Amino acid sequence: MEIAVFVTRKSAAEVLILHRSAVQGGYWHVVAGGVEPGETATAAAERELREETGLVANAEAGVEVVEYVYPLTEEPADRRKQYDPSVAQVSVTCFHVTAPDEWEPNLDWEHDDHRWCEPGEAFRNLRWPATAKALRKLLIEAN
């Protein structure tokens, strides 16, 4: 199981997207990561958000949660090896967190750039269509 955290600010007019470093694949994504053994999806979202951006937020504060699945074949071979051979799809629970209007992320080693953009630009730049679709759904439900 994985999590994704959609960070917005300025009344959801800006969406944070992060650029994964070349070592991590070199693409635009959102805060994301795996749920560790014994950890809830909410706790994983809060941990990944803090580790990847420095933002401390309560993922349970937002009622908006969207889930989707993607085929494990979309992952690079080295990442697929981390999953049990019986796993064919990965479940992702998505959270929406609002950041203070002037807040900027403090990126970890996994990322080499970030961008605040309007939602349409975020939809177009995110590598994974399922992630963009989940973001679109969360933003529509939030309004």
Side-chain angles (χ1 to χ4, degrees), residues 3-8 16 18 30-33 42-59 95-99 103 105-108 111:
I3 59 85
V5 183
F6 302 109
V7 181
T8 61
L16 177 67
L18 306 173
V30 296
V31 172
T42 302
E46 292 170 356
R47 177 182 51 75
E48 290 288 350
L49 183 63
R50 185 179 60 258
E51 288 174 0
E52 293 185 14
T53 70
L55 182 62
V56 176
N58 182 353
F95 297 86
H96 178 201
V97 171
T98 302
W103 175 82
N106 181 15
L107 302 179
D108 69 349
H111 305 93

Side-chain angles (χ1 to χ4, degrees), residues 4-27:
V5 183
F6 302 109
V7 181
T8 61
R9 68 180 187 182
K10 300 185 179 177
S11 300
E14 294 182 345
V15 177
L16 177 67
I17 59 175
L18 306 173
H19 191 263
R20 295 273 180 182
S21 65
V23 173
Q24 294 291 310
Y27 57 88

Side-chain angles (χ1 to χ4, degrees), residues 45-119:
E46 292 170 356
R47 177 182 51 75
E48 290 288 350
L49 183 63
R50 185 179 60 258
E51 288 174 0
E52 293 185 14
T53 70
L55 182 62
V56 176
N58 182 353
E60 285 186 336
V63 296
E64 311 93 354
V65 174
V66 171
E67 296 181 333
Y68 68 90
V69 297
Y70 68 90
L72 189 57
T73 56
E74 288 184 1
E75 292 287 359
D78 61 330
R79 182 143 163 85
R80 287 194 305 263
K81 290 178 189 175
Q82 297 174 6
Y83 289 86
D84 185 279
S86 65
V87 174
Q89 293 184 320
V90 178
S91 174
V92 182
T93 302
C94 305
F95 297 86
H96 178 201
V97 171
T98 302
D101 285 351
E102 302 308 317
W103 175 82
E104 291 294 334
N106 181 15
L107 302 179
D108 69 349
W109 65 272
E110 294 180 54
H111 305 93
D112 57 17
D113 199 5
H114 78 281
R115 181 184 307 167
W116 288 103
C117 51
E118 55 88 18

